[in-house]
Amino acid sequence: MPDWDKIFKEKGYVFVDPHQDMSRLVTLFHTHGVRRILDLGCGTGRHLAFLSQVGFEVSGFDSSSTALELAMKWLKEEGLRADVHLGRMEEPFPYHDGFFDAVVSIQVIHHNLMNDILATISEIERVLKIGGYIFITVPTLGPKPEKAEDDWKLHQIEKGTFIPQSGPESGIPHHYFTEDELHKVFINFQILEMYVDDTNHRCVLATKKS
Ligand SMILES: C[S@@+](CC[C@H](N)C(=O)[O-])C[C@H]1O[C@@H](n2cnc3c(N)ncnc32)[C@H](O)[C@@H]1O
């Protein structure tokens, strides 16, 4: 079955520029004493490099060994550091409770069935300290799901979760969160901002409640 590892093997660095709001987040994180950041589903490292460059201690976690090799190559070339782990986000993360001051995850957590997504969110919560930040982005579907991403031939496998039957991400599950659902799954977080970015991804900026 196709997966992100295959995409990275074929295409290399698919994402290069950081998310449009990363600079703003850096200012927020610096203002609030953030030191350690986990990039969950770090891919080939665009945010590891960006965040390491501005002085954070960064860790990357991803299920694609190809992505992690490319990320390490990028970091090495730039003289930057990050701790990276290969693993699946629906399984326990290899970090202690409350280890991170912030977790960023750009276009990642939706790649699963809802039960597995809930396991991921519970792990995010566990490894984040109280008051720590999350910045998470997930794709949106328009009011007519059958029209969105038409060419992907989305096949629904549970409520809100689809597997594209064609296109570059065919075979990879995509859960399309509603705004309501995001409020529900992040119930243990204080939502500071929820908005749709320029690439049609819904962004959640929140802090972990005590
Ligand atoms: C759309 S890419 C985004 C990569 C990166 N966050 C970025 O913004 O450049 C999705 C990433 O999620 C990772 N991923 C997908 N399913 C995963 C899983 N079950 N566990 C860990 N990582 C996963 C993929 O390997 C890929 O790197």
Side-chain angles (χ1 to χ4, degrees):
M1 179 168 89
D3 61 11
W4 271 99
D5 198 64
K6 183 163 178 277
I7 296 175
F8 292 130
K9 269 201 178 88
E10 285 171 8
K11 300 195 173 152
Y13 295 96
V14 182
F15 305 97
V16 179
D17 295 329
H19 183 273
Q20 65 184 69
D21 293 320
M22 213 39 78
S23 298
R24 182 171 72 89
L25 289 174
V26 163
T27 307
L28 177 82
F29 291 166
H30 275 143
T31 310
H32 290 88
V34 168
R35 273 191 317 124
R36 282 191 196 134
I37 304 178
L38 171 63
D39 183 1
L40 177 66
C42 59
T44 53
R46 60 174 171 158
H47 298 115
L48 296 178
F50 189 76
L51 294 169
S52 169
Q53 176 82 59
V54 293
F56 295 110
E57 286 173 37
V58 286
S59 298
F61 183 80
D62 204 286
S63 58
S64 162
S65 55
T66 306
L68 293 184
E69 277 161 27
L70 289 167
M72 291 311 290
K73 183 167 174 279
W74 184 345
L75 290 160
K76 193 170 171 213
E77 281 169 9
E78 304 269 334
L80 299 168
R81 286 177 52 94
D83 169 53
V84 302
H85 282 278
L86 182 68
R88 298 199 58 87
M89 64 183 162
E90 60 276 14
E91 292 168 6
F93 297 178
Y95 313 105
H96 299 304
D97 297 1
F99 188 71
F100 293 102
D101 304 307
V103 176
V104 300
S105 187
I106 312 301
Q107 301 171 216
V108 177
I109 68 160
H110 63 288
H111 283 313
N112 251 330
L113 299 180
M114 186 43 87
N115 260 348
D116 285 333
I117 293 174
L118 292 175
T120 298
I121 292 173
S122 148
E123 278 297 274
I124 290 174
E125 200 180 318
R126 182 184 65 75
V127 301
L128 187 65
K129 73 171 195 192
I130 291 169
Y133 286 89
I134 55 168
F135 181 71
I136 288 176
T137 82
V138 288
T140 55
L141 264 191
K144 290 189 177 164
E146 70 283 3
K147 285 282 166 214
E149 309 198 286
D150 235 359
D151 48 334
W152 284 19
K153 298 189 175 49
L154 293 178
H155 169 66
Q156 183 154 209
I157 50 165
E158 67 175 18
K159 191 162 178 277
T161 311
F162 299 79
I163 298 199
Q165 304 301 296
S166 67
E169 296 185 34
S170 73
I172 303 174
H174 287 62
H175 183 81
Y176 291 93
F177 285 92
T178 63
E179 210 172 318
D180 260 11
E181 250 180 334
L182 285 169
H183 280 283
K184 281 191 188 125
V185 298
F186 290 111
I187 185 78
N188 295 332
F189 292 80
Q190 179 74 42
I191 308 278
L192 305 176
E193 295 178 17
M194 196 182 289
Y195 59 95
V196 176
D197 68 18
D198 295 348
T199 63
N200 270 331
H201 288 79
R202 206 176 293 284
C203 306
V204 179
L205 175 66
T207 54
K208 180 175 158 181
K209 290 181 192 165
S210 52

